[in-house]
Amino acid sequence: MVKEKDVKEKALELLSERGVTMDHLVELVQFLQQDYFPQLSVEDCIYNIDKVLNKREVQNTIITGIHLDLLAENNHLDEPLLSMVKRDEGLYGVDETMALSIINIYGSIGFTNYGYIDKVKPGILERLNDKSTGKVNTFLDDIVGAIAAAASSRLAHSKWGNQD
Ligand code: MG
């Protein structure tokens, strides 16, 4: 039987090993919310990001996505999957589909937030999308964008008095 605590620990460990910190996630949430809640505190952001990271479906997506990135980075996938994941091919799309399992949690504002952040690629998302580093972050960039989008949606719902 898998222990809940072990799953969360592993997900956070993988994010950190891939260079994604809480500061990066806070920066993305602030970016998404700056026009709506300019007074938003860092503590508020951390609180909502942590709520998202506590969800088992989010932890599972993080672990699965980062493992697929690592397998591709080390050439441990068969073709044609290897090339599709390595090159982050536009027609592949499974990375975005997996990110939806995170965005779905807090309803439709999540989609708008995710679409916007995925287009503008602020902060850490720009580095994760840099293909010249030799790192494969095909799944991770969508997962990080989705975590920030979900945390922003949660925040928006809670500001409107609609919490869970
Ligand atoms: Mg991607």
Side-chain angles (χ1 to χ4, degrees), residues 88 95 138 141-142:
D88 197 3
D95 43 343
T138 297
D141 68 331
D142 296 289

PDB file of all heavy atoms in Angstrom, residues 88 95 138 141-142, ligand 1:
ATOM      1  N   ASP A  88       9.141  18.000 -27.912  1.00  0.00           N
ATOM      2  CA  ASP A  88       7.907  18.669 -27.487  1.00  0.00           C
ATOM      3  C   ASP A  88       7.058  18.989 -28.721  1.00  0.00           C
ATOM      4  O   ASP A  88       6.628  20.127 -28.927  1.00  0.00           O
ATOM      5  CB  ASP A  88       8.252  19.952 -26.714  1.00  0.00           C
ATOM      6  CG  ASP A  88       7.079  20.463 -25.892  1.00  0.00           C
ATOM      7  OD1 ASP A  88       6.029  19.800 -25.872  1.00  0.00           O
ATOM      8  OD2 ASP A  88       7.223  21.525 -25.275  1.00  0.00           O
ATOM      9  N   ASP A  95       1.056  16.016 -23.027  1.00  0.00           N
ATOM     10  CA  ASP A  95       1.505  16.859 -21.911  1.00  0.00           C
ATOM     11  C   ASP A  95       0.408  17.845 -21.499  1.00  0.00           C
ATOM     12  O   ASP A  95       0.112  18.003 -20.314  1.00  0.00           O
ATOM     13  CB  ASP A  95       2.819  17.584 -22.244  1.00  0.00           C
ATOM     14  CG  ASP A  95       2.843  18.172 -23.653  1.00  0.00           C
ATOM     15  OD1 ASP A  95       2.011  17.782 -24.490  1.00  0.00           O
ATOM     16  OD2 ASP A  95       3.704  19.037 -23.916  1.00  0.00           O
ATOM     17  N   THR A 138       9.182  18.738 -21.344  1.00  0.00           N
ATOM     18  CA  THR A 138       7.951  18.726 -22.139  1.00  0.00           C
ATOM     19  C   THR A 138       6.708  18.621 -21.256  1.00  0.00           C
ATOM     20  O   THR A 138       5.727  19.341 -21.452  1.00  0.00           O
ATOM     21  CB  THR A 138       8.008  17.555 -23.140  1.00  0.00           C
ATOM     22  OG1 THR A 138       9.109  17.800 -24.012  1.00  0.00           O
ATOM     23  CG2 THR A 138       6.727  17.439 -23.947  1.00  0.00           C
ATOM     24  N   ASP A 141       6.736  21.776 -17.992  1.00  0.00           N
ATOM     25  CA  ASP A 141       6.293  23.160 -18.199  1.00  0.00           C
ATOM     26  C   ASP A 141       4.772  23.275 -18.090  1.00  0.00           C
ATOM     27  O   ASP A 141       4.248  24.208 -17.480  1.00  0.00           O
ATOM     28  CB  ASP A 141       6.821  23.735 -19.528  1.00  0.00           C
ATOM     29  CG  ASP A 141       6.211  23.077 -20.752  1.00  0.00           C
ATOM     30  OD1 ASP A 141       5.838  21.901 -20.677  1.00  0.00           O
ATOM     31  OD2 ASP A 141       6.109  23.752 -21.786  1.00  0.00           O
ATOM     32  N   ASP A 142       4.065  22.281 -18.628  1.00  0.00           N
ATOM     33  CA  ASP A 142       2.602  22.320 -18.535  1.00  0.00           C
ATOM     34  C   ASP A 142       2.119  22.085 -17.106  1.00  0.00           C
ATOM     35  O   ASP A 142       1.145  22.685 -16.661  1.00  0.00           O
ATOM     36  CB  ASP A 142       1.992  21.261 -19.461  1.00  0.00           C
ATOM     37  CG  ASP A 142       2.305  21.573 -20.913  1.00  0.00           C
ATOM     38  OD1 ASP A 142       1.731  22.534 -21.436  1.00  0.00           O
ATOM     39  OD2 ASP A 142       3.158  20.881 -21.508  1.00  0.00           O
TER      40      ASP A 142
HETATM   41 MG    MG B   1       4.733  20.870 -22.938  1.00  0.00          MG
END
